[in-house]
Amino acid sequence: MEASFIYCIHCTLPLPTCVCQYAPKVSLATPCTLLYHPKEYTKRSNTGRLLKISTNIETTSWHRLKSSELEKQFKHYALFYPGEDTSTANNTHATTEQDHNEIQGYLILDATWQESQKMMRQSPWLAKLPRVSIKAPQSDYRLRRNQNQQGLSTLESVAYWLIEQNQRNCGLELIQFLNCFQDAYLKARQAGQLK
């Protein structure tokens, strides 16, 4: 007989290993929105969900058929995405005529590297947004394989951006929460509590 477990609706871990109590309370000074690929939010290893628990970030789902609606909603946002030249820390560059003083918020794609490339291809308006590239150490995200070695998890992207914005403690608190989640996730998986 297969054991059944009750899972937290926020962090999605089995209740005995729930990490929500360890979530920091980080207030993002500038509006930030996670634009998540529909497949991503169903994954237990999703780090965007952890940002939702620990910050005041907004979330909305991406769909190629919602492009015109999303383009209007985020036309004054900058996109967290590697640019052609990512060698400079916090390399913000405009791919349009938009003045950086007009940036009203930040859009973060919550997707695997492959999914994010698909989102960029199928929603050309995303490629037109000014970009923010984060220079950071190699990712410490251990829960998925076959991902771009240069890529960061969604939570790491925001954490390292905060560090670059002189909010070091907030960024480090998020990294600590990610590590707490990863340890609990791996423990639950080893115990057969996660598929």
Side-chain angles (χ1 to χ4, degrees):
M1 185 169 124
E2 193 175 303
S4 62
F5 302 98
I6 299 172
Y7 298 93
C8 173
I9 61 170
H10 302 292
C11 71
T12 74
L13 293 175
L15 283 182
T17 56
C18 170
V19 295
C20 291
Q21 64 182 329
Y22 304 113
K25 298 297 178 218
V26 174
S27 182
L28 302 172
T30 308
C32 292
T33 299
L34 286 179
L35 183 63
Y36 63 88
H37 190 282
K39 288 182 182 177
E40 186 63 22
Y41 213 67
T42 63
K43 297 173 184 171
R44 290 191 192 281
S45 56
N46 173 269
T47 67
R49 185 180 292 107
L50 301 179
L51 280 170
K52 187 72 177 160
I53 296 168
S54 54
T55 71
N56 56 332
I57 201 162
E58 296 293 323
T59 60
T60 192
S61 65
W62 170 85
H63 193 284
R64 63 184 177 82
L65 298 180
K66 289 172 51 178
S67 277
S68 59
E69 173 191 331
L70 292 169
E71 181 176 9
K72 286 178 190 170
Q73 185 177 355
F74 298 111
K75 69 179 180 179
H76 294 297
Y77 275 53
L79 178 68
F80 276 43
Y81 204 80
E84 290 77 23
D85 174 18
T86 57
S87 59
T88 306
N90 201 24
N91 174 27
T92 306
H93 69 280
T95 53
T96 67
E97 298 295 316
Q98 185 175 7
D99 182 349
H100 285 292
N101 293 328
E102 294 177 13
I103 292 173
Q104 297 173 0
Y106 295 95
L107 192 60
I108 301 118
L109 301 186
D110 190 21
T112 64
W113 186 247
Q114 294 83 1
E115 289 165 351
S116 71
Q117 291 176 315
K118 177 180 178 180
M119 291 165 77
M120 294 290 281
R121 277 194 313 274
Q122 295 186 356
S123 297
W125 65 273
L126 283 170
K128 295 177 185 175
L129 293 176
R131 294 190 190 178
V132 175
S133 300
I134 294 108
K135 185 176 181 180
Q138 189 168 355
S139 174
D140 190 36
Y141 185 58
R142 301 170 274 156
L143 304 183
R144 294 189 196 165
R145 298 183 184 127
N146 303 322
Q147 291 303 309
N148 184 325
Q149 292 300 312
Q150 310 307 314
L152 298 172
S153 70
T154 304
L155 183 142
E156 288 173 313
S157 296
V158 173
Y160 288 119
W161 172 70
L162 286 171
I163 290 169
E164 289 177 357
Q165 300 299 308
N166 296 318
Q167 297 179 58
R168 182 175 177 78
N169 289 344
C170 293
L172 293 177
E173 284 177 358
L174 288 175
I175 296 294
Q176 185 176 6
F177 183 46
L178 173 64
N179 289 330
C180 175
F181 172 78
Q182 291 188 108
D183 290 345
Y185 183 99
L186 292 170
K187 182 179 176 183
R189 188 165 68 184
Q190 188 175 9
Q193 298 172 344
L194 294 175
K195 293 180 181 180

